[in-house]
Amino acid sequence: MFELVVLMNTALWVIAALLALIFLAAGAMKLRQPKDELAANPNRFWAEEFSPATIKLLGALEVLAAIEFIVPAMLDIVLVAVPLTAVGLALLMIGAAITHTRRKRTNPSW
């Protein structure tokens, strides 16, 4: 039984770390690149619809969420923040899905 708990805990940490890395990279890209560069990429067509400030806000939220996924659990503080962060990111991804659906655009490489 103890081995199963350790295995599940390890799996959760690996998944959280991967999600944190993905959102950290995506958020850093939005913070680093200007809107024109983002919109020029055909895979980031959504950027045309948002102001530069909104894009930077989305990037900052993704970077903060990446930090929030790891730090509280690692330091064993404010553990309620991790599931709240997960809910916030789920809402952010629902918004992204709505944006993609509304623009009726899919990734042609799929």
Side-chain angles (χ1 to χ4, degrees):
M1 181 68 174
F2 178 72
E3 293 85 17
L4 183 60
V5 171
V6 171
L7 181 64
M8 291 297 290
N9 194 26
T10 303
L12 287 172
W13 270 103
V14 168
I15 291 168
L18 288 173
L19 282 172
L21 285 173
I22 290 168
F23 280 105
L24 181 65
M29 179 217 29
K30 289 179 185 92
L31 288 172
R32 192 177 62 246
Q33 290 184 341
K35 176 185 175 176
D36 296 337
E37 283 183 35
L38 285 171
N41 185 328
N43 291 325
R44 296 187 187 89
F45 62 89
W46 55 266
E48 299 167 359
E49 192 171 316
F50 296 99
S51 71
T54 302
I55 293 171
K56 299 298 181 201
L57 175 64
L58 291 171
L61 289 173
E62 288 175 345
V63 168
L64 288 173
I67 294 167
E68 198 68 25
F69 250 145
I70 301 297
V71 173
M74 194 167 61
L75 299 178
D76 201 28
I77 56 170
V78 195
L79 294 179
V80 71
V82 176
L84 291 177
T85 299
V87 169
L89 282 174
L91 293 173
L92 187 67
M93 292 299 100
I94 290 169
I98 290 170
T99 298
H100 283 262
T101 303
R102 188 173 23 160
R103 296 283 306 250
K104 293 181 177 48
R105 181 91 184 258
T106 59
N107 188 341
S109 65
W110 291 353

